[in-house]
Amino acid sequence: MTDLIYWIIIGFIAGALSGAVVGGRTARGCLPNVVVGVLGAIVGGWLAAQLGFERGPGFIAATIVAVIGAIVVRVILEALSPNDRRR
């Protein structure tokens, strides 16, 4: 149970930071930020493993990996979202 809370907190932070970095038309708010952040943590972890990086222990390392992954996820969402969508 504590791992789930841990990933939700990291997901929210990563989603919010990726929204600030990327901006654009993708959905904002608590739930979309958590979803993008958790997906970003998965993508970031996979990318780090593919590039041969070992994630260090701790909150900061997990957050950095999650933010990088969330930025990738948000850029992909921006590319797939229709151009006429309003904020």
Side-chain angles (χ1 to χ4, degrees):
M1 182 65 177
T2 53
D3 286 344
L4 178 63
I5 294 170
Y6 179 74
W7 283 109
I8 289 173
I9 291 169
I10 289 177
F12 178 73
I13 293 169
L17 288 175
S18 71
V21 170
V22 176
R25 300 174 305 272
T26 55
R28 290 198 168 80
C30 282
L31 186 59
N33 280 343
V34 170
V35 170
V36 168
V38 171
L39 286 175
I42 293 168
V43 169
W46 180 81
L47 284 174
Q50 297 305 309
L51 295 173
F53 293 107
E54 291 292 325
R55 182 181 70 81
F59 183 78
I60 300 294
T63 304
I64 291 170
V65 167
V67 169
I68 292 169
I71 290 171
V72 170
V73 168
R74 203 170 287 266
V75 166
I76 292 170
L77 288 174
E78 281 292 315
L80 296 176
S81 67
N83 290 335
D84 61 345
R85 185 173 172 187
R86 305 250 189 253
R87 284 188 198 195

